[in-house]
Amino acid sequence: MKTKNTFWLPAISLLLIWLAHLGGCANTVFEPALPESDADSDGDSDSDGDTDSDSDTDSDTDSDSDTDSDTSVNECEEDLDDCDDNATCTDLPDGFECECNSGYDGDGQVCDDIDECLTTPCATNAECTNTDGDYTCACLTGYDGDPYSTICDDIDECFLGIDLCDVNATCTNTDGDYTCACNSGYAGDGFTCVVSSLLEDFETGTWPWSPWVSVASGGTVSSTYAHDGSRGIMDPGWHYRTDVTFGTTTGQTLSVWARPDSSTDGRFYFGFNASSSGCRSIILAPNTTEFFFQTNTSYGYSAQTSVSQSYTAATWYYIELEYMGGGQYQGRLYSSTMTLLNTVTHNFGTASPGGIAIRAFNGVSIDSISM
C-alpha cells in the first residue's frame, strides 16, 4: 500500500494540471508569495490599493501647480505695464511695480526731469546745464579746472601769452578775462593799435593858443600838471577846436590823460563833435562818483548814460572814446597802469562829426590829447 500511494500522487498532480489547462485557465498567473518587506517597498502593503490612491492624489496636485505656473504673466516683459518711459518696471507675484529712474521724480507712471542746476552742483566759476535726466558742468570762459569740484581757476592769458592784444598794447589780466590798452603813442582798442596823432601836449605857448577857441576863460599851464613831457593844463573853461574831425569813421578813437586832485570833488569834460554851437562829452566826475556822457548844446549840460565810478585823489586816469558807428559812442576809463576800470556806451542817434573840446573845474589836470 505504501508503494501504491507513492505512485498515484504524482500521477494525480499531473492530471489536475492538464485538466486546468483544458478548462481555459491559461491567463491565470501564479506568482510566488513575496516577503513582507518587498511588498512594502512596492507600495502594495494594502490589498485595497490605498497607497496607489495617494500616489494619484500627488499626481493631481502636481498637475494643478503646473497649470498655475503656465498662466502667470510678466507684465514688464510683455510690455503690459503702464510705467513711464523714464521708469523701471519690476515684476511682482501679484502684479508689477514702477519706479522713476535716477534724475527723474514722480510716482513711476509719470516721471518728470529733475533740474539739478537749481541746487548749484557745479564748481565756482562753472556753468551748469540741465539735460534730460542729468546735468553737465563746464568752466566759464577764462577759467580752467574740474567743473565738478569746488572751483575753476582763473586763466592768466597775459602770462601764458594766449591773449590777442596788439604788439603795441599792454595786456592786463582780470578775473576770468583780460584787457588790452594801446601803449603811449598809439591809439586803438588794444587789439589793434596804430600810431596816434598827438593833437595837444600843452608844451608851448600861452594859453589859450590857436586853434583853440575860448567859450569860457580859464586854465593854467604848468609842469605841475604834466603827465608826460614838461607841461599840462589845469581847470580850463570851455575851449574847442575844429581843425580836427572826430566821428567820421567807425573805430576812430580819441584819448586824453586826466588827474583829479580830490577823490570826491572836481570834474573834467572831454568834448567831441564840437562846434560853436556846442558839443557832446564824456565826463570824469569824482564829485558825483560817475563816469558818463552829456549833451552840451550851446555848452550847457544835459546828462545821458551814466555808470557809477569811484576815484583816487592825485591819480592819473586814461580816458579813451571810440566811435562805434550809427551815432553810438563808447567811453573807456583806464587806471594809470592801463587797467580797464569801467566802460559806458551811449547812442546819440546821429553821428554829427565835429571837433574836440575841454573843460575842467576844482582841481583836475589834463595832458596829451591824441586821436
Side-chain angles (χ1 to χ4, degrees), residues 263-283:
S263 62
T264 58
D265 199 7
R267 180 173 287 193
F268 167 55
Y269 299 76
F270 190 26
F272 56 97
N273 302 156
S275 68
S276 60
S277 61
C279 68
R280 296 161 175 170
S281 61
I282 181 72
I283 302 170

Side-chain angles (χ1 to χ4, degrees), residues 4 27 48 75 89 91 101-102 123 126-127 177 191 193 205 234 247 250 289 313 321 330 346:
K4 183 180 181 178
N27 290 331
D48 57 3
E75 293 87 353
C89 178
D91 185 54
N101 297 332
S102 176
E127 181 179 36
D177 204 355
F191 297 96
C193 299
M234 176 182 274
T250 299
T289 60
L321 181 69
Q330 184 178 85
H346 182 72

Side-chain angles (χ1 to χ4, degrees), residues 59-80:
S59 176
D60 291 342
T61 301
D62 291 343
S63 176
D64 291 343
S65 176
D66 292 341
T67 303
D68 291 343
S69 176
D70 292 340
T71 59
S72 177
V73 177
N74 187 324
E75 293 87 353
C76 301
E77 291 184 356
E78 299 295 331
D79 199 22
L80 299 176

Side-chain angles (χ1 to χ4, degrees), residues 44 51 63 83-84 106 116 127-128 150 206 251 260 276 288 293 317 336:
D44 294 329
T51 301
S63 176
C83 297
D84 189 271
E116 295 86 353
E127 181 179 36
C128 180
T150 57
T206 301
S276 60
T288 55
F293 282 101
Y317 294 91
S336 59

Side-chain angles (χ1 to χ4, degrees), residues 11 31 39 44 64 71 79 108 118 121 123 133 140 145 149 152 188 190 232 253-255 280 317 319 324 328-329 338:
E31 296 181 353
D44 294 329
D64 291 343
T71 59
D79 199 22
L118 296 177
L140 297 174
S149 64
C152 290
T253 61
L254 191 64
S255 63
R280 296 161 175 170
Y317 294 91
I319 300 172
M324 311 294 286
Q328 181 167 283
Y329 295 80
M338 298 305 292

Side-chain angles (χ1 to χ4, degrees), residues 200-233:
E200 184 60 75
D201 58 9
F202 304 100
E203 291 298 312
T204 60
T206 301
W207 182 255
W209 50 77
S210 179
W212 292 98
V213 177
S214 177
V215 176
S217 62
T220 303
V221 176
S222 168
S223 61
T224 305
Y225 315 132
H227 173 268
D228 50 83
S230 59
R231 300 202 309 175
I233 190 171

